[in-house]
Amino acid sequence: MRKIALLILAALFAVSCTSGVNTENLTDTITDDYGRQVVVPTAPQHIVSTSPAVTEIIFALGGGPLLCGRTDFCAYPPQVAQIPSIGGISNLNVEHVLSLSPDLVVSGSMVPEKCVAQLQAMNVPVVCVPEKTTFQGLYQNIATIGALIGRAEAADSLNQQIRQQLQHIAQRTDTAHRPTLYYVVGFGAGGNYTAGGGTFINDIITLAGASNIAQDVEGWNYSLEALMQHDPDYILIRSADSAAFCSMAPYTKLSAVRQGRVIAIESGMIDLQVPRNLDAIKLISARISGK
């Protein structure tokens, strides 16, 4: 009887797939990272992303054509420029979002709660997928977004590729002799800022085979005295800031600056929790290993 029942279910499923059933009208209820229960379409066709990280992951999963809106800060990949912008994030223009008639909005952590409430009141589902504090959170976000946009298999494949490449890097990493590294988030008269231990950026540094001198620090503030005292083997800094940092006192006294051990990196590779974090790990690993 069990086999017969399964055959009947399979037959019914086959009929539904060939009878012109409109899957775009089907919905599901999910619980997002903030514990909100949201009714979402199972096959969204018009998505607005209010997060650069979300936008990048959607493209990485082949979902670019589903996007009908993105923010001014969504800059990767280059073809994202072809998608209409809704403006900023913290000052989200709800009316502009509504004008695009989205059937799903996927946000990060910077969209005000009142904007989320306004969109929900207009029957536009909003799912919050903020960046996580560990590198492992990248896998979670890729899987979550993949499920939301109907690209679950692509998400599984992408996560598997990242894990496999990290394994290759780990096999070449000398964990017994990790060079020290400092990531420059902010510098100069405004203060010194870096990524402490409770960040996914710290995990990126560790996975690359280096030791973050700020790994014991909570938050982002770091003292100039501590930086000069530690005198890290390598400096990691955004490409746009590299020249200014390397020519400014007292940073010019750092061994890494004097000996050319400054690693310039494109901001989006490390400041956003995206698949390109793997490229950041590869870059750092190659520089500190001399390969």
Side-chain angles (χ1 to χ4, degrees):
M1 290 297 293
R2 177 180 174 82
K3 289 184 178 180
I4 294 175
L6 290 174
L7 288 171
I8 292 174
L9 286 173
L12 289 173
F13 178 76
V15 170
S16 68
C17 289
T18 58
S19 60
V21 175
N22 185 4
T23 57
E24 294 183 18
N25 294 327
L26 300 179
T27 61
D28 193 9
T29 300
I30 63 100
T31 301
D32 72 4
D33 288 336
Y34 292 149
R36 301 165 51 253
Q37 287 193 328
V38 186
V39 177
V40 298
T42 57
Q45 299 298 306
H46 306 284
I47 302 172
V48 168
S49 167
T50 65
S51 160
V54 168
T55 298
E56 189 166 332
I57 291 174
I58 288 176
F59 266 97
L61 297 178
L66 300 176
L67 285 168
C68 65
R70 48 91 186 183
T71 74
D72 290 342
F73 301 97
C74 299
Y76 188 89
Q79 54 264 43
V80 75
Q82 302 172 8
I83 299 170
S85 175
I86 59 172
I89 301 176
S90 59
N91 58 339
L92 186 68
N93 188 324
V94 174
E95 290 75 16
H96 196 168
V97 174
L98 292 172
S99 71
L100 297 174
S101 301
D103 52 13
L104 176 65
V105 173
V106 187
S107 75
S109 57
M110 296 180 64
V111 175
E113 290 185 14
K114 65 176 183 179
C115 294
V116 174
Q118 289 174 333
L119 289 167
Q120 291 282 177
M122 298 300 293
N123 295 319
V124 177
V126 183
V127 178
C128 299
V129 187
E131 295 180 344
K132 309 300 187 294
T133 58
T134 66
F135 183 87
Q136 292 294 321
L138 173 62
Y139 301 127
Q140 180 183 341
N141 283 3
I142 289 174
T144 297
I145 294 171
L148 277 174
I149 69 172
R151 299 289 195 280
E153 290 186 4
D156 290 342
S157 177
L158 178 57
N159 278 337
Q160 184 177 5
Q161 291 174 27
I162 295 173
R163 288 190 174 97
Q164 288 175 343
Q165 293 191 52
L166 284 179
Q167 288 178 354
H168 291 314
I169 294 172
Q171 291 170 358
R172 303 194 306 266
T173 300
D174 183 1
T175 57
H177 301 88
R178 290 179 176 270
T180 55
L181 182 146
Y182 176 80
Y183 176 48
V184 180
V185 174
F187 65 98
N192 292 278
Y193 300 90
T194 189
T199 65
F200 71 87
I201 296 175
N202 178 75
D203 289 353
I204 288 174
I205 294 170
T206 302
L207 288 167
S211 176
N212 180 11
I213 67 169
Q215 61 186 333
D216 295 329
V217 174
E218 294 184 5
W220 297 84
N221 289 296
Y222 200 74
S223 72
L224 178 61
E225 292 76 17
L227 171 58
M228 302 306 293
Q229 181 179 356
H230 277 96
D231 194 19
D233 297 315
Y234 289 87
I235 293 291
L236 179 66
I237 188 169
R238 301 181 183 100
S239 299
D241 297 333
S242 180
F245 181 86
C246 292
S247 62
M248 182 182 295
Y251 310 113
T252 50
K253 297 180 180 179
L254 292 169
S255 299
V257 174
R258 289 187 290 104
Q259 298 174 17
R261 294 195 301 269
V262 176
I263 306 171
I265 190 169
E266 196 274 305
S267 174
M269 289 170 56
I270 192 166
D271 291 333
L272 300 176
Q273 192 168 45
V274 291
R276 282 191 299 157
N277 290 162
L278 179 62
D279 296 329
I281 294 170
K282 289 179 179 178
L283 173 64
I284 299 168
S285 176
R287 283 295 306 274
I288 66 177
S289 64
K291 297 179 181 179

